[in-house]
Amino acid sequence: MNEIQQKTILIVEDDPQNLKLFRDILEYKGYTTITATDGQQGVILAKEHRPDLILMDMQLPVMDGIAATQQIKCDAATKNIAVVALTANVMPGDREKMMAAGCQDYISKPFHLQDFLKKIAHLLLDSPRER
Ligand code: MN
């Protein structure tokens, strides 16, 4: 088992097609995935599973991605997990809001597959967490 296969990624995405796409790609590449379809569920699963990385859609029901990221970053149990924002339409100021909430980076949808995987691999290497 190589290092990539041991990593767990939490995907928080309310669009079923996008969720399936992210999950299929990441599982195919050997990552373990956990999925949530709203921000609140995302916060709960982050705490429960302590994934290595979180992909966080910004427009989500119940609790949006900014609020969910803020909660994750406020909790000592989850604050060291890198959160990557998934964004459909980036408006001026959005990127600053995401970074202020604690997101480490962002991925625009639709994404370029190789760039997406490169970014994921890079973030997982860059942010080793203490267990
Ligand atoms: Mn959404």
Side-chain angles (χ1 to χ4, degrees):
M1 185 181 273
N2 66 31
E3 198 174 339
I4 283 176
Q5 286 172 313
Q6 296 167 0
K7 302 288 186 181
T8 299
I9 302 174
L10 168 62
I11 310 160
V12 190
E13 168 66 83
D14 64 321
D15 181 282
Q17 279 181 322
N18 275 336
L19 182 63
K20 186 181 184 320
L21 181 64
F22 285 122
R23 196 187 56 210
D24 287 353
I25 290 167
L26 293 171
E27 293 266 340
Y28 177 75
K29 283 289 169 183
Y31 297 107
T32 299
T33 64
I34 305 163
T35 60
T37 53
D38 70 60
Q40 192 164 51
Q41 194 188 13
V43 172
I44 291 166
L45 291 183
K47 201 167 174 161
E48 202 176 302
H49 296 273
R50 305 228 205 153
D52 297 288
L53 183 70
I54 300 171
L55 298 183
M56 181 72 76
D57 182 27
M58 287 293 109
Q59 288 78 43
L60 289 166
V62 186
M63 182 192 294
D64 70 21
I66 297 275
T69 301
Q70 284 168 340
Q71 286 211 11
I72 286 165
K73 292 295 166 182
C74 281
D75 189 327
T78 52
K79 69 175 183 188
N80 292 326
I81 304 170
V83 179
V84 178
L86 302 175
T87 58
N89 307 298
V90 181
M91 307 298 275
D94 278 1
R95 187 155 194 266
E96 288 69 21
K97 267 185 242 165
M98 292 167 207
M99 296 302 157
C103 293
Q104 197 142 329
D105 204 340
Y106 74 97
I107 290 164
S108 306
K109 296 181 285 188
F111 57 89
H112 181 273
L113 182 59
Q114 291 310 323
D115 291 347
F116 169 71
L117 290 170
K118 236 183 253 178
K119 193 168 270 198
I120 299 292
H122 185 75
L123 283 160
L124 284 169
L125 283 178
D126 257 15
S127 48
R129 286 189 318 112
E130 289 164 35
R131 294 245 171 214

